[in-house]
Amino acid sequence: MTLKTIALYGALALAATSTATAAELSRRPFGQTPSGEAVEAVTLTNAKGVSATVITYGATLQSLVAPDKAGKKADIVLGFNDAATYVKNASYFGATVGRFANRIGKGRFELDGKTYQLALNNNGVAALHGGVKGFDKVVWKVLETKSGPTASVTLGYVSPDGDQGYPGTVNATATYALDEQNQLTITYGATTDKPTIVNMTNHALFNVAGEGSPDGAMGNLLTIPADGYTPVDNELIPTGATTPVAGTAFDFRTPTAVGARIRDASEPQLIVGKGYDHNYVLNGKSGGALRLAARLADPKSGRVLEILSDQPGVQFYAGNFLDGSWIGKSGKLYRQGDGIALEPQHFPDAPNKPQFAPVRLDPGQTYRNVMIFKVGVAK
């Protein structure tokens, strides 16, 4: 890196900081991809000690730092310290996933009488998270940054017609905004030039006890205000049914430790998913005002994370496939259950399930998915 480039990054950070009234924004290099594309890190920081770092590779939430009841800060998002490791890893840590988050059975869907075949990048039986090179595996462009009472960064990516088998040129945006109420708001948007399907979300893996904590995330107390969930077949594709959670290991309507029932072998759905990897049907109306989608709390630190959403569902994934083969940013091995994904989104395989909310996007329409990650401490 040249001295001129270093000076430019310094000037950008200084300019952002000097104009901020509370929340600040800074930018720095974060390495590069194997093809030589530069990756940036943008950090948003408020006056209460909360900060979020977003990297341009995959429009990824690389870090979310929050204080506990004693004021001690900890990063509560799993991830890595450089772009090269994100490129090598295929676990979607913190990434923006799309065009279609989650699974599409047999990688196939029909639109206006035409069948589209996608790559079967999920064990050869389904399309997962947008394909072999989805939104998580490209470098996004920084479109806009702001400091002030709310600091924000907006990133953009243009997905060409036919990308990963999907029709239409899609202009996608991801805006991360941090305010003084300790709310990190992620707003996803997309437009298209021909009919297509879109379902974007964020795949952050959380542990409110702190990333890399010895006991993992199984002691996190989870609440999901959902009376039902969508069971899956042996390929983890929803059957199309909605099953009540009452009386099952899937009932998180009251705070329950994630690990309390995760090894219950009497529950066939836990065997199929090797733990929790299921879509919950959120109570309340989707597409309107944001409502609570999930809450995580750590009894020891008092740290709390609330997730608000305008989407019909939230995918709960308990890190079942983390196998200790990756070293996280704190120098600890990531093992099964070390992080929890709670992804506000439309239902998996929605293009093939007419009983699920539609995911079609037409020219002239704008897709939106708004989610808030609010950190605090238990009172």
Side-chain angles (χ1 to χ4, degrees):
M1 182 176 297
T2 66
L3 290 175
K4 183 178 180 180
T5 303
I6 294 172
L8 175 60
Y9 276 101
L12 287 169
L14 181 61
T17 303
S18 63
T19 58
T21 58
E24 300 178 353
L25 180 146
S26 62
R27 296 168 69 167
R28 62 182 173 86
F30 197 76
Q32 62 183 25
T33 67
S35 63
E37 289 183 275
V39 177
E40 274 193 89
V42 179
T43 299
L44 314 173
T45 306
N46 73 9
K48 297 180 179 177
V50 175
S51 68
T53 297
V54 180
I55 62 171
T56 54
Y57 182 78
T60 295
L61 179 62
Q62 187 266 343
S63 170
L64 180 59
V65 174
D68 65 8
K69 60 187 177 183
K72 183 180 179 181
K73 297 178 183 179
D75 192 346
I76 62 171
V77 170
L78 276 61
F80 307 107
N81 286 323
D82 60 88
T85 309
Y86 277 99
V87 173
K88 292 176 184 176
N89 184 273
S91 295
Y92 306 99
F93 289 174
T96 292
V97 288
R99 293 182 189 189
F100 197 92
N102 220 308
R103 297 175 176 88
I104 296 178
K106 297 181 173 54
R108 190 181 304 137
F109 68 94
E110 186 177 299
L111 202 62
D112 295 335
K114 182 177 179 179
T115 298
Y116 293 89
Q117 180 63 57
L118 313 172
L120 298 176
N121 64 314
N122 184 217
N123 299 322
V125 297
L128 177 66
H129 293 329
V132 176
K133 190 176 182 180
F135 289 178
D136 61 296
K137 296 179 179 67
V138 296
V139 177
W140 292 53
K141 182 179 179 180
V142 176
L143 302 179
E144 184 180 36
T145 60
K146 294 181 181 178
S147 294
T150 299
S152 68
V153 56
T154 298
L155 304 101
Y157 175 68
V158 179
S159 174
D161 184 22
D163 188 11
Q164 304 301 300
Y166 291 91
T169 298
V170 166
N171 279 272
T173 58
T175 298
Y176 290 80
L178 178 66
D179 64 22
E180 288 304 310
Q181 287 70 52
N182 294 343
Q183 297 182 138
L184 176 66
T185 300
I186 304 176
T187 303
Y188 290 120
T191 59
T192 183
D193 63 356
K194 67 170 64 171
T196 190
I197 59 172
V198 175
N199 181 34
M200 298 168 63
T201 193
N202 187 276
H203 199 282
L205 287 166
F206 296 102
N207 180 2
V208 289
E211 175 269 343
S213 63
D215 297 328
M218 292 296 96
N220 284 194
L221 300 179
L222 174 63
T223 306
I224 302 179
D227 295 332
Y229 77 100
T230 53
V232 296
D233 61 21
N234 289 332
E235 296 175 355
L236 299 181
I237 304 300
T239 63
T242 297
T243 298
V245 300
T248 76
F250 288 84
D251 192 348
F252 286 91
R253 291 175 296 177
T254 57
T256 305
V258 172
R261 300 166 300 197
I262 198 169
R263 304 191 192 282
D264 182 359
S266 68
E267 173 52 72
Q269 284 290 301
L270 289 178
I271 297 174
V272 170
K274 295 183 171 56
Y276 297 105
D277 192 1
H278 295 77
N279 169 68
Y280 279 73
V281 181
L282 292 173
N283 296 342
K285 183 180 179 181
S286 65
L290 275 68
R291 79 277 198 215
L292 185 69
R295 183 180 189 270
L296 280 177
D298 175 42
K300 292 182 180 179
S301 68
R303 201 175 284 110
V304 174
L305 171 68
E306 291 184 337
I307 302 174
L308 286 76
S309 169
D310 62 356
Q311 297 293 287
V314 63
Q315 182 80 9
F316 168 34
Y317 165 62
N320 311 327
F321 299 102
L322 302 180
D323 60 4
S325 61
W326 290 97
I327 300 172
K329 52 194 168 186
S330 63
K332 304 292 179 60
L333 292 172
Y334 286 154
R335 312 151 304 169
Q336 187 180 55
D338 275 350
I340 302 159
L342 293 159
E343 306 163 76
Q345 59 187 285
H346 276 266
F347 298 174
D349 203 36
N352 298 312
K353 300 289 192 300
Q355 63 270 48
F356 292 170
V359 292
R360 179 184 178 120
L361 182 68
D362 285 313
Q365 297 177 330
T366 299
Y367 165 87
R368 278 173 64 85
N369 179 357
V370 182
M371 61 193 76
I372 294 177
F373 299 108
K374 184 174 183 178
V375 295
V377 293
K379 298 179 180 178

